[in-house]
Amino acid sequence: MTPTLSTPRLLLPPLELADASQIQLLFPHWEIVRYLAAQVPWPYPADGAYRHIRDMALPAVERGEAWHWTIRLKSAPDQIIGSIDLRKKENDNRGFWLGLPWQRQGLMTEACDAVTDFWFNTLHFPVLRAPKAIANVASRPSPKSRACAWSPPKTATTSPAAYPPRSGKSPPRSGSPANAKSLFCCQNS
């Protein structure tokens, strides 16, 4: 079961199918999608959020393999501004995205702190691994309270690649600098 979490500025209620319409309006922007896993289709389909929640996220929660939350400001609890999840994958335990108007305000750091605490102190997992796109400098961790490390791959470039969306075609991601991954790893101390 996914509990509601909170931070000083945020509410993180469990993801529901009813959240799909708000997510569909907020999520499909190339500036968000370009840093995510290559399996996110681009252009994003009109029913992409609904199908993802119905067919992937909620079944994984029911199987006990994942925990999904929406991110909302306490000052506007009915409005979704992003999403964050935890999952039992070998080298991919946490993922997130945040709507463009709310980026660069420290909100995702608050959300990550809350779900990381849940991962270690409620679920009692010993290690959290979160691959990140190298070009997504804003998502690199600045760990404070846990033994954490960020390591770029040996052949990685740190210069961001800008691949503007092309109508009807997915921009190059696999093997591109914008999609090259680094690994963030935290251990409970």
Side-chain angles (χ1 to χ4, degrees):
M1 184 172 146
T2 305
T4 296
L5 303 176
S6 66
T7 74
R9 297 183 289 174
L10 301 173
L11 291 174
L12 283 73
L15 180 69
E16 299 176 355
L17 194 55
D19 298 328
S21 60
Q22 280 194 62
I23 291 171
Q24 187 68 40
L25 293 173
L26 190 60
F27 177 74
H29 294 277
W30 180 242
E31 295 84 5
I32 294 170
V33 175
R34 75 183 191 135
Y35 294 125
L36 301 179
Q39 68 259 24
V40 176
W42 189 260
Y44 198 66
D47 63 346
Y50 181 83
R51 288 188 314 166
H52 171 74
I53 294 168
R54 182 194 67 196
D55 300 343
M56 298 177 72
L58 294 180
V61 169
E62 289 174 16
R63 291 189 305 268
E65 297 171 357
W67 300 263
H68 289 263
W69 295 269
T70 59
I71 302 171
R72 303 160 189 252
L73 294 170
K74 284 183 174 178
S75 61
D78 294 332
Q79 182 180 18
I80 295 170
I81 65 169
S83 179
I84 189 165
D85 67 273
L86 294 170
R87 47 196 176 258
K88 289 182 183 178
K89 290 186 175 180
E90 184 177 348
N91 285 314
D92 190 5
N93 304 131
R94 186 181 68 207
F96 54 77
W97 64 270
L98 191 63
L100 299 174
W102 300 278
Q103 292 181 3
R104 303 207 186 318
Q105 298 175 38
L107 297 169
M108 191 52 76
T109 299
E110 282 186 38
C112 284
D113 287 349
V115 301
T116 298
D117 184 68
F118 179 76
W119 179 262
F120 288 125
N121 295 320
T122 301
L123 300 175
H124 303 290
F125 288 109
V127 175
L128 181 138
R129 292 182 177 92
K132 297 292 164 220
I134 291 171
N136 190 356
V137 175
S139 289
R140 288 187 189 163
S142 55
K144 298 175 215 125
S145 60
R146 301 198 188 280
C148 300
W150 175 81
S151 59
K154 292 175 185 156
T155 59
T157 177
T158 55
S159 59
Y163 293 109
R166 294 180 292 227
S167 178
K169 294 175 102 177
S170 294
R173 286 193 282 189
S174 181
S176 70
N179 201 39
K181 300 289 182 186
S182 62
L183 186 63
F184 165 67
C185 182
C186 249
Q187 292 185 317
N188 201 9
S189 49

